[in-house]
Amino acid sequence: MTSQLVWLVALGPLALLLVALSAPLGLRPRATSMAALAAAALTMMLSLGATALVIAHGRLVTPGLGFDGYGFALYIDRLSICILCLVAFIGLVVLHYSKSYMQGDTQEARFTRLLCLTLFSVLMVAISGNLLQFVLAWAATSLSLHELLLFYPERAGAQLAARKKYIFSRIGDLCLIVALLVVHHDFGTLDFAAMFHLARDMQASGAVPDGIGFSAFLIVIAGLLKSAQFPTHGWLLEVMETPTPVSALLHAGIINAGGFLVLRFTNIISLSVPSLDLLAIIGGFTALFGSVVMLTQTSVKVSLACSTVAQMGFMMLECGLGAFSAALLHIVAHSLYKAHAFLSSGSVIDIARASYTPSPGGKPHPFRLVFAILVVIAIAFLFGSLTGATIAREPGVVALGAILLLSLTHLVAGGIDEMPHWFVILRVIGFAVVVAALYFTLQFLTAAAMAGALPKTETLRGPFGVFIIALVIGSFAVITYLQGLAAAGAIGPRFQVFYAHVNNGLYVNTILNRLVLQFWPSLRDARHRRGDPMMGEAD
C-alpha cells in the first residue's frame, strides 16, 4: 500500500508539467496563473504527505518503469523530502508573486508556463530514482532556465548571461553523461538504492575501483559549474535583466541544484579524497571572493547575486570538508532568505532610509578590533567543543561557525570601543554566545534528522585539512579586520585602488565576456548596430 502511495508524489510535478504544456489550449493569462497556482499547491500538499510517509516508514523506493528498470522511478529519502518541500514552497510563493508582477505583460501566460516547466524539472531532480532520469531532469532544468533568462531576448545583457550559462551547463551535462557511463561500468546499475548500497560497501572494505575516483571528479565538476563557482560565476551577476521572479527562483532554488547533486552522491564522492579537496579549495576561494566583491557593490540585486555566489561557495566548502548535513542546512536557510530578499528587493532602499542613524564619528582602535575577532572565534570553538563539534571531529561545522560569528565582530568591537561599559560589553558578547548556541544546536539537529540519508560528518583529513581550515578562517578574519578599518576611514590610497579592482570582480568576468563574444560574435554585432553603451563594458 505504501509503495503505491509513493507514486502520488509524482502527481504534483506532473501537474506543473501539464500547465507548462497547455499552450495549445489557448488559456488566458489569468486562467494559466490559476492553474499554475493549483498545481503548485497540489505539489506542496503531496510533498507534506510524502514527508509523513518517510517519517513513518523510512526511505521510499519504487521500481523503474521502462527498459531494464532504467525508466521512470522514485527515490525519496529525508534528503529528497527536504529539497522537495523547499522547492515546492518557494515555487508556490514565486508563482503567486508572478501573478501580480507580470500582470498586463503580453507574454504573461508564456512566462507562467516556463516557470512551471522549470519547477517540474527541479522537482524531478529531487525525486529521481536512477542516474539516467536524474541526468535528463538535470538537463531539462538548465534548458528551461535558459528560456527564462532570455524572456526578454532583445536585452543584450540577458543574451550574454544566458549564453555563458548555456556553455557552462553543456559542459556540466557532458560531465554527468560521462559519469553515468563510468558509474554503470563500475556498479553495473544506475539505480540509486543499489548504487548507494554498493558505495557504502566499498567505503567499508576499502576496495574502490579506479573509475570511481574519475566519476566522483566529474560529478564534482558538474556541481561546481551548476553552482556558479569561480571563475564561472559571472553569468549569475548578469541575470538581473530577467524578471524578478526568475531571479528569486534561480537564486533560491535552481542554483542549489549543484549542492544537491553533491549531497545526493556523497556516498560516491566521499570515496575520492582528491574530489573532496577540490570541493573545499574551489568552494572556499569562491566564498571568500564572492563575500569581498559583495561588499563593494552598490546595486541591490548585484549585491544579492554576489552573496549567492559566496553562499554556494560555503556549501561546496562544507561538502569538501565532509560537513554534509551542515551544507543541507545551509541550502535551506539560504533559499528561504534569498527568495525573500529578491522578492522584497524593491523596498530595501526605503527600509535602509527608515533605519538610518547618524554615526557617532569615532574610529575603532585596531587592537580592539583584533580582540573582538579573537573573542568571536574563541566563542565558536568553545561552543563547538560543548556540542562535540571539535575541529578534529567536525572541521567543516566549526569553520563555518567561526565565519558566521566573524560577522558579529563589528558589533562586539563597537561594544568595547567607544566609552566602554561593562553592561554593553556583556550584552554584545552575550548576543554572540546566543548566536553560537543556535548555530551549533541547529547543526546537531540537522545531523540527527539526516542520519542514514547523508554520511556522517568526516573528521579532519591530515595536515592538508588543517591547512585549509586555517586558511579559510584566517582569510575571513583578515577581511573582517580590513572591513573594520575601511569603515573607519583608516585605509590608505592603495586600498582605494584595490577596492576599485575588487568592485570589478578582478576583471575575471570581463575576460570571460570577451571569450564568449569572440566565439559567439552575433551578440557583439547586435550591440555595435544598436550602439549599445554596454559594449565597452563587455569588451
Side-chain angles (χ1 to χ4, degrees):
M1 181 64 178
T2 302
S3 61
Q4 296 176 350
L5 291 175
V6 177
W7 289 109
L8 294 177
V9 179
L11 292 181
L14 291 177
L16 289 168
L17 178 61
L18 289 177
V19 176
L21 300 177
S22 64
L25 298 179
L27 297 178
R28 292 187 176 182
R30 180 173 177 82
T32 303
S33 297
M34 295 304 296
L37 285 173
L42 175 64
T43 304
M44 188 72 245
M45 290 187 294
L46 291 175
S47 300
L48 295 176
T51 302
L53 287 177
V54 170
I55 293 175
H57 301 284
R59 185 185 63 194
L60 305 174
V61 181
T62 64
L65 300 179
F67 176 73
D68 199 21
Y70 292 140
F72 186 78
L74 301 181
Y75 182 90
I76 303 177
D77 59 358
R78 296 183 181 186
L79 174 61
S80 302
I81 284 299
C82 188
I83 300 300
L84 184 67
C85 291
L86 176 67
V87 175
F89 174 72
I90 292 177
L92 180 61
V93 172
V94 169
L95 283 170
H96 179 71
Y97 181 89
S98 302
K99 181 181 176 183
S100 299
Y101 184 90
M102 297 298 294
Q103 188 174 12
D105 193 292
T106 57
Q107 297 293 316
E108 179 183 354
R110 175 174 172 268
F111 179 80
T112 302
R113 292 194 298 269
L114 286 174
L115 276 183
C116 289
L117 180 60
T118 306
L119 282 171
F120 161 77
S121 303
V122 178
L123 292 168
M124 291 310 301
V125 166
I127 62 177
S128 292
N130 58 70
L131 186 52
L132 176 61
Q133 180 183 344
F134 185 96
V135 171
L136 292 175
W138 178 274
T141 300
S142 176
L143 294 174
S144 57
L145 175 62
H146 183 76
E147 293 299 318
L148 284 173
L149 295 181
L150 288 176
F151 187 73
Y152 296 123
E154 69 279 2
R155 299 181 178 180
Q159 292 182 33
L160 183 59
R163 290 180 180 185
K164 284 195 292 185
K165 174 66 170 63
Y166 186 86
I167 293 172
F168 298 142
S169 296
R170 299 295 72 76
I171 297 174
D173 293 346
L174 179 62
C175 288
L176 276 186
I177 292 172
V178 176
L180 180 151
L181 299 175
V182 176
V183 165
H184 187 270
H185 176 269
D186 290 333
F187 288 95
T189 180
L190 296 178
D191 180 71
F192 281 169
M195 283 170 48
F196 299 153
H197 179 73
L198 291 172
R200 286 190 290 267
D201 290 344
M202 292 178 183
Q203 183 82 46
S205 64
V208 181
D210 294 337
I212 295 299
F214 181 56
S215 61
F217 174 78
L218 292 173
I219 293 172
V220 165
I221 294 298
L224 293 174
L225 290 172
K226 191 74 166 184
S227 297
Q229 298 296 278
F230 184 91
T232 65
H233 62 281
W235 68 268
L236 191 62
L237 310 182
E238 297 171 339
V239 297
M240 302 303 112
E241 300 275 2
T242 62
T244 296
V246 178
S247 298
L249 182 61
L250 169 62
H251 289 262
I254 300 173
I255 198 70
N256 292 319
F260 176 73
L261 170 70
V262 175
L263 292 177
R264 179 80 289 170
F265 295 99
T266 47
N267 289 309
I268 295 176
I269 295 175
S270 59
L271 297 175
S272 172
V273 174
S275 297
L276 292 174
D277 290 339
L278 179 64
L279 277 173
I281 293 172
I282 300 297
F285 182 82
T286 302
L288 180 65
F289 177 83
S291 300
V292 173
V293 174
M294 179 190 69
L295 297 175
T296 66
Q297 301 304 309
T298 55
S299 168
V300 173
K301 287 190 175 183
V302 174
S303 180
L304 289 174
C306 291
S307 169
T308 297
V309 171
Q311 297 304 321
M312 293 300 107
F314 280 123
M315 292 177 202
M316 293 302 172
L317 172 64
E318 290 157 358
C319 291
L321 295 175
F324 304 116
S325 58
L328 178 61
L329 177 62
H330 203 148
I331 286 177
V332 174
H334 172 261
S335 296
L336 296 175
Y337 145 71
K338 195 54 63 73
H340 175 269
F342 267 100
L343 295 181
S344 61
S345 60
S347 59
V348 168
I349 296 177
D350 294 334
I351 294 174
R353 289 174 176 171
S355 60
Y356 170 77
T357 55
S359 171
K363 295 184 178 181
H365 194 283
F367 175 77
R368 292 173 181 170
L369 190 59
V370 172
F371 178 73
I373 291 174
L374 295 177
V375 166
V376 295
I377 292 178
I379 291 174
F381 277 82
L382 174 62
F383 269 86
S385 300
L386 293 176
T387 58
T390 62
I391 195 68
R393 292 180 56 187
E394 300 184 9
V397 174
V398 176
L400 185 64
I403 295 171
L404 171 65
L405 290 181
L406 280 172
S407 64
L408 303 178
T409 295
H410 301 298
L411 176 65
V412 175
I416 64 177
D417 221 348
E418 301 209 12
M419 296 183 295
H421 189 278
W422 282 109
F423 174 76
V424 177
I425 294 174
L426 292 177
R427 184 176 179 180
V428 295
I429 293 179
F431 182 76
V433 168
V434 170
V435 172
L438 289 173
Y439 167 77
F440 284 103
T441 300
L442 286 174
Q443 296 290 355
F444 175 80
L445 294 176
T446 304
M450 291 295 119
L454 292 173
K456 294 182 179 179
T457 302
E458 294 193 1
T459 56
L460 197 62
R461 295 193 300 271
F464 187 70
V466 175
F467 171 74
I468 291 179
I469 294 295
L471 182 63
V472 168
I473 298 178
S475 299
F476 277 93
V478 170
I479 293 301
T480 302
Y481 176 78
L482 294 177
Q483 183 186 5
L485 295 184
I491 297 295
R494 292 184 178 180
F495 180 82
Q496 301 300 327
V497 174
F498 177 72
Y499 184 95
H501 294 321
V502 172
N503 178 258
N504 288 280
L506 302 181
Y507 310 103
V508 174
N509 192 41
T510 301
I511 295 174
L512 285 177
N513 285 349
R514 289 178 176 177
L515 291 175
V516 171
L517 291 172
Q518 180 178 355
F519 293 101
W520 209 329
S522 59
L523 179 59
R524 177 193 298 271
D525 297 338
R527 285 184 169 186
H528 276 305
R529 286 195 300 269
R530 294 170 50 203
D532 197 325
M534 287 183 63
M535 190 63 205
E537 180 180 333
D539 286 346

